[in-house]
Amino acid sequence: MRVWIAAAIASAASTAVANPTFNVPGDAVPDQTFYLANPGTVLNVNNGGVVGPFGDFNGNGSVDDTNFDLNTGIINVNNGGTLLGFPAEALFERGTLNLAPGGSVGDFARFFNSEINMAGGVVGPSLLASLDTTANVSGGTIGSLTVVADSTLNMTGGTIGQLSLRDASAKISGGSLGQAPFGAPVFVGDFSNFFPPNTNTAATLEISGGTIFDRLFIGNDGTVNLIVTEATLNGVPLDLELDETRVITQRQSSLLELVLADGSPASLTLNNGGGTGSMFNSGSVLTVTRVIPSPAGALPLSLCMWLACARRR
């Protein structure tokens, strides 16, 4: 069953049922239109349900509207449910998307001033979180995630192939970042001076756990904070005190080997242009902070590095 979605107009809102809940498939939605103007409206996209494409209300391939004000409404995409892709002009604002394992969201999904909670499923390949949106990722796969305009990413699990941060922040404590499914890198700030002058592109990436691949591209306005239990630079221990933060300025293919706070091994080859590994523009900031190992305990750095090498064989 396919449902065409439209933003509610004021007259529709005045007659709509307060806090309605729709289940797709199953419920008959009046006039094949799901009105989202009432606060608290809930749409459950269940197994076999297909909703969208957004903006094409008449099914004629044209975009009839570009702005879907969820007005604190909630869309739950459950196991077997599908949200179809978005036209280039379409976006959601002021709502919540909950994506469960087995659910899927189509390409070019855009959320403004919203909340995204992803426990599983597939998005893709691209997703935009903008204008004070919070994305919480604990499972599933996102091909490419862009976080901008005072938005935030909290990642505790799942997979993000490519991550772009501009005027935003991210905390990574689990999952896989920077490889699957497309092997694309992680961009923090304006790495290539693409944006006009006076554009706020400053961004901060904090990494305390998970699988992090050596593919970080950090612009002059980018900051990377690594939360570790052990660290060596070119084979020499950093000998950090507990809770001490040190700025790492070495580049020219310097090798930074780490045990992250959750016990995961990581290594970064630090460059400021050319070569392989991770690229840090001259104005970027890289810090390492030592903390107490997580309750599960961290393996010694030498053993972690051996395990990481063994996995790559």
Side-chain angles (χ1 to χ4, degrees):
M1 177 180 180
R2 178 172 293 182
V3 178
W4 310 102
I5 294 188
I9 59 176
S11 60
S14 64
T15 59
V17 177
N19 303 323
T21 296
F22 295 95
N23 294 289
V24 179
D27 288 344
V29 180
D31 301 323
Q32 289 289 291
T33 302
F34 172 55
Y35 288 103
L36 295 163
N38 271 355
T41 297
V42 177
L43 172 64
N44 296 313
V45 188
N46 300 317
N47 189 28
V50 180
V51 172
F54 302 101
D56 185 11
F57 307 140
N58 299 317
N60 59 9
S62 65
V63 177
D64 304 300
D65 200 350
T66 60
N67 189 359
F68 304 93
D69 187 350
L70 299 183
N71 197 11
T72 72
I74 299 172
I75 299 178
N76 297 313
V77 183
N78 299 316
N79 182 29
T82 299
L83 250 62
L84 293 179
F86 288 49
E89 299 87 353
L91 60 91
F92 275 145
E93 65 177 352
R94 294 203 304 160
T96 299
L97 170 68
N98 297 316
L99 180 58
S104 65
V105 175
D107 200 10
F108 300 117
R110 295 169 174 83
F111 287 84
F112 285 18
N113 193 23
S114 296
E115 181 176 325
I116 302 166
N117 300 306
M118 185 173 175
V122 177
V123 174
S126 65
L127 174 66
L128 170 67
S130 183
L131 292 178
D132 200 28
T133 290
T134 297
N136 301 307
V137 179
S138 58
T141 298
I142 303 174
S144 176
L145 174 61
T146 299
V147 185
V148 297
D150 203 27
S151 296
T152 302
L153 165 66
N154 299 304
M155 183 180 183
T156 59
T159 296
I160 298 176
Q162 174 178 301
L163 174 65
S164 297
L165 294 177
R166 299 189 305 275
D167 184 21
S169 63
K171 291 186 177 182
I172 312 299
S173 59
S176 175
L177 177 66
Q179 187 189 44
F182 302 114
V186 175
F187 294 94
V188 179
D190 186 4
F191 180 78
S192 58
N193 298 318
F194 174 81
F195 296 91
N198 302 320
T199 301
N200 185 9
T201 57
T204 300
L205 172 64
E206 178 184 290
I207 302 173
S208 62
T211 301
I212 310 300
F213 294 87
D214 191 6
R215 298 180 60 81
L216 306 184
F217 286 67
I218 314 302
N220 289 328
D221 48 6
T223 299
V224 176
N225 301 320
L226 303 173
I227 313 301
V228 308
T229 60
E230 294 182 54
T232 66
L233 183 62
N234 295 323
V236 179
L238 291 184
D239 290 331
L240 297 170
E241 299 292 335
L242 190 63
D243 296 325
E244 179 186 352
T245 296
R246 185 172 301 176
V247 177
I248 305 300
T249 59
Q250 289 85 347
R251 301 294 186 261
Q252 289 77 46
S253 297
S254 294
L255 180 61
L256 181 62
E257 296 176 293
L258 316 161
V259 177
L260 298 173
D262 72 340
S264 299
S267 64
L268 298 176
T269 302
L270 309 179
N271 282 297
N272 54 5
T276 60
S278 294
M279 305 298 168
F280 290 79
N281 279 356
S282 58
S284 64
V285 177
L286 172 63
T287 71
V288 175
T289 300
R290 181 182 170 229
V291 296
I292 297 174
S294 63
L299 294 174
L301 179 59
S302 58
L303 179 55
C304 284
M305 292 298 109
W306 181 87
L307 291 172
C309 292
R311 284 201 295 265
R312 290 195 290 265
R313 291 171 184 163

